Amino acid sequence: MKIATWNIERAQRKKKLGAIIAACEQENADILVLTEADEQVKPSGYPFCFSTQPPKAHELPPYPTPVQYAPTERRVILYTRYPCVRCHPTYDAATAICVELQTEMGNLLVYGSIIGIYGHRKPFYMDDLQGQMEDLQNLAGEGHSICFLGDYNCSFADSYYPHSAARSKMLACFDSMGMELLTKDRPECIDHIAISKSFIGAAPVSIQEWNEGKHLSDHKGIAVSFGFLHSRPPIIPQDLL
């Protein structure tokens, strides 16, 4: 299984839309979460797609100035080859999405998000973090396997984008929920993937990065692969065959 996430910077580099889509397709992930996303970036090969709700102008934090979103923009879009069992509510439907997927390794809750749309500036960053950690703890308490991924706006391996309070809070929460932050040792990395240890078991994990020169967006993309060396064919409902 391969799970990937990438902040595509609201697809602002319009002349590179084709290259951004090609980069997504080349990763060939079973689950792909794009943050600062745009519906114009629609990689092929994914029969299922879910997105956060469009932000409402009057609900946008005013600091430093409200972000103006185009009609096609979403903070998070999830593309997957696995069918959805159900969607779970999140504390902020414009910033985080949680979809329970049926996979060959069992059901997995994929929680895609951005923590802090203005980066790690307080107070909005810590408000987002608190809301999302509470979501995860409630879901973990129900016995679900969880993958929490997206733009954390926080680096763990270096001082590239530090936030010591956020680091400590996330790592403590992950530990209490039996989750592992698979990407914490990657340098200059603020987009991350954490997952329930029980879901991956003893399977070897490999990590891949792309857009390391940041010529397609201002973030690197990151993916984790584990379990099967090659993903089994995706589970497709009969009515879609």
Side-chain angles (χ1 to χ4, degrees), residues 1 3-5 31 33 108-113 115 129 132-133 136 144-152 154 156 167 169-186 189-200 205 207 222-226:
M1 179 183 290
I3 302 174
T5 188
I31 300 168
V33 167
L108 178 66
L109 267 64
V110 179
Y111 190 112
S113 76
I115 305 176
L129 178 60
Q132 293 180 31
M133 291 300 104
L136 294 180
H144 296 288
S145 294
I146 301 171
C147 179
F148 174 58
L149 74 167
D151 183 356
Y152 288 18
C154 180
F156 291 79
R167 287 175 177 172
K169 185 176 184 65
M170 280 188 270
L171 292 174
C173 285
F174 294 155
D175 184 62
S176 70
M177 293 182 285
M179 297 176 67
E180 183 176 357
L181 182 58
L182 299 176
T183 52
K184 67 178 182 295
D185 295 327
R186 309 302 290 192
C189 180
I190 64 175
D191 303 84
H192 292 282
I193 302 171
I195 195 164
S196 298
K197 296 177 184 178
S198 60
F199 186 78
I200 58 176
V205 176
I207 299 175
I222 193 159
V224 297
S225 301
F226 53 87

Side-chain angles (χ1 to χ4, degrees), residues 211-230:
N211 192 46
E212 294 174 272
K214 300 179 183 176
H215 58 286
L216 297 178
S217 85
D218 59 352
H219 287 241
K220 297 187 295 184
I222 193 159
V224 297
S225 301
F226 53 87
F228 307 102
L229 292 177
H230 300 286

